[in-house]
Amino acid sequence: MADAHRGPRYQLAMAAAKATQAALTAAHRNGGQLPGVIAEKIDPQILADVPRPKTVVCVSGTNGKTTTNNLLNDLLADNEYEVVNNRAGGNVANGIQSTLIRNATMSGGTKKDMAVMELDELSFRKVLPYLTPDIILVTNLYRDSFSRNANPDFIFNVMSHYVSPKTKLVLNADDLISCRLAPQDANRVYYSIGRLADDTAEPQGIVCDLTACPVCGGKLEYDYCHLRHLGHATCKSCGFTNPEPDYELTALDREAHTFTVCERSHEGAPTHTYRYGNYSITNLYNLFSTVVVARELGLSVEAIGASLERGINVTALRYTEEGAGGKRLVAVASKGENSTATSVALDTIRKEPGSKAVVVMLADAHKAANPKETEYIGWYYQTDFEYLKDPSIKQVVVQGATNPDLLPRLRLAGIDPDKLTMVETPEQAAAAVDPSDVDSVFWAFDIYNGSDVEKSRALVAQKIKEAADAR
């Protein structure tokens, strides 16, 4: 990139963006995309001209990209890498611009030599023409929000078209959708989880995103599935099957909280064992893919293992647990208007040990507060609310502005009306929960409803404490 591109318009755009960042910082506000928005208004080519670090890694995919991006940033920081990230800036084009502007100096240099950024799938078409990442990790592709990404085939085509052959792709070999991305790019690394004890014989859930061979449309014959359609399958017509993995998770010890990875692309195919924290198959995929990218960046097995031993793990935003009176109070996040993420969250809850009450907070709080926005409720009918029928779940409390829309879906799912309570506020949700008769209380929530969860959880904890004091 030549300095000649950075004319007066570029300099003005950078100055305005830097001033905006300074004002936001002084006001203790985030506004992560605003500097990028302002810079682009002044210089529409700002993303092409802004200096970028020597190494750029992007993390994308329908589910897990935020968690995996944060894990990778935490792992690198724990190993004393100075990394710029877009946790504050957002994963769309303006957020990427803001992140790179924050890392750039007015003289044309960069403050840090590495960037690890989450990249929205649709933003490939706005970002990748101007920015060529060294590595792109893709976690998976599923159907997403109807109002955002909808059909995975559409998203696949958008992403696939804009990937440069100069980029190394790190792809999930267990996903027969995303593993086929960007055939023009031969620089590919595949990771895969081998057969596990609790795998299923067919894709899970009432909706499957891969009902036929993506190459010829023939019938897929599955050997096993780990999660939804992720697993190993072969087309009976054309023989299409999963690519051979460069990194394969070959063993999982749930009691020891360890997983073993065979590095088939390395000389001698060595195996290495790492520690994980809270188990779920989604957590395992996120952590495993983080390890793979870290190895591709040159981190040693010993350095990665030491970081995981020190507790680098899934961020608290997605899974948090507190205790009160010997009971577990657990919040499990999903992705708003996303049937797969919500189904996985509910499945995770039902598989947890002991009896439980479940508080469901899926109505988007931001949309509920805006009279001009409406949540499209069609995704309820692609979500596995049937998991709430599990005998271990003694009570279901549903809170949110879309309760009248969600109630018919819960009735269709066969939820016992006697264990179902519909409320409007997080305070009412806490009041409706009866923790005396269960071992745990779980909150399944849209990520934008985190503050409502904390209000409700604090009140339930107080209720448990007061009951204990009364005894």
Side-chain angles (χ1 to χ4, degrees), residues 17-35:
K18 291 286 189 182
T20 302
Q21 285 181 334
L24 288 168
T25 301
H28 303 288
R29 297 187 62 182
N30 186 347
Q33 295 182 33
L34 186 57

Side-chain angles (χ1 to χ4, degrees), residues 64-76:
K65 58 181 174 286
T66 301
T67 300
T68 303
N69 177 68
N70 292 346
L71 278 169
L72 184 56
N73 271 286
D74 291 344
L75 179 62
L76 291 167

Side-chain angles (χ1 to χ4, degrees), residues 48-110:
D49 297 339
V50 66
R52 70 280 318 269
K54 294 178 181 177
T55 303
V56 177
V57 179
C58 289
V59 180
S60 193
T62 307
N63 293 323
K65 58 181 174 286
T66 301
T67 300
T68 303
N69 177 68
N70 292 346
L71 278 169
L72 184 56
N73 271 286
D74 291 344
L75 179 62
L76 291 167
D78 195 58
N79 284 280
E80 299 183 353
Y81 283 74
E82 292 193 353
V83 183
V84 63
N85 63 69
N86 61 337
R87 284 176 169 173
N91 64 9
V92 296
N94 292 136
I96 301 292
Q97 291 164 350
S98 295
T99 300
L100 295 177
I101 289 169
R102 186 173 70 247
N103 188 54
T105 64
M106 291 299 295
S107 60
T110 57

Side-chain angles (χ1 to χ4, degrees), residues 149-184:
N149 295 354
N151 189 287
D153 293 336
F154 167 66
I155 298 303
F156 174 94
N157 290 331
V158 170
M159 296 172 70
S160 194
H161 177 75
Y162 290 97
V163 174
S164 167
K166 297 179 180 178
T167 293
K168 177 183 289 186
L169 285 171
V170 178
L171 301 173
N172 186 345
D174 300 336
D175 180 12
L176 287 176
I177 299 176
S178 64
C179 76
R180 299 167 44 253
L181 277 166
Q184 72 273 15

Side-chain angles (χ1 to χ4, degrees), residues 218-286:
K219 178 178 174 56
L220 286 173
E221 187 173 274
Y222 279 86
D223 298 312
Y224 53 83
C225 284
H226 301 308
L227 171 70
R228 317 305 280 180
H229 68 267
L230 304 190
H232 194 278
T234 303
C235 175
K236 298 185 72 174
S237 298
C238 72
F240 174 68
T241 190
N242 305 72
E244 288 296 318
D246 299 286
Y247 295 82
E248 184 177 10
L249 194 154
T250 56
L252 175 69
D253 189 327
R254 296 279 296 271
E255 291 187 4
H257 280 236
T258 60
F259 63 97
T260 300
V261 176
C262 179
E263 298 186 343
R264 303 197 185 283
S265 59
H266 293 239
E267 185 177 353
T271 59
H272 308 287
T273 299
Y274 303 97
R275 181 172 297 280
Y276 67 85
N278 295 312
Y279 177 77
S280 73
I281 189 63
T282 53
N283 287 351
L284 189 62
Y285 266 117
N286 294 337

Side-chain angles (χ1 to χ4, degrees), residues 116-134:
V116 176
M117 300 180 290
E118 178 183 342
L119 178 60
D120 175 74
E121 303 90 282
L122 274 181
S123 294
F124 273 49
R125 59 189 176 187
K126 294 184 177 181
V127 172
L128 296 192
Y130 307 104
L131 174 70
T132 302
D134 297 277

Side-chain angles (χ1 to χ4, degrees), residues 285-365:
Y285 266 117
N286 294 337
L287 187 54
F288 176 30
S289 61
T290 297
V291 169
V292 171
V293 175
R295 291 290 286 141
E296 290 297 308
L297 287 170
L299 268 73
S300 70
V301 169
E302 293 75 19
I304 296 169
S307 292
L308 299 186
E309 290 286 347
R310 284 191 289 269
I312 298 299
N313 212 298
V314 175
T315 57
L317 173 65
R318 303 290 171 162
Y319 184 104
T320 60
E321 180 172 338
E322 298 176 3
K327 298 181 185 293
R328 299 172 65 206
L329 307 180
V330 185
V332 181
S334 73
K335 187 177 179 183
E337 299 182 63
N338 182 299
S339 59
T340 295
T342 301
S343 294
V344 170
L346 297 178
D347 192 29
T348 298
I349 290 170
R350 72 166 175 147
K351 290 177 179 177
E352 288 281 334
S355 59
K356 62 212 72 158
V358 179
V359 181
V360 178
M361 293 181 168
L362 297 178
D364 190 313

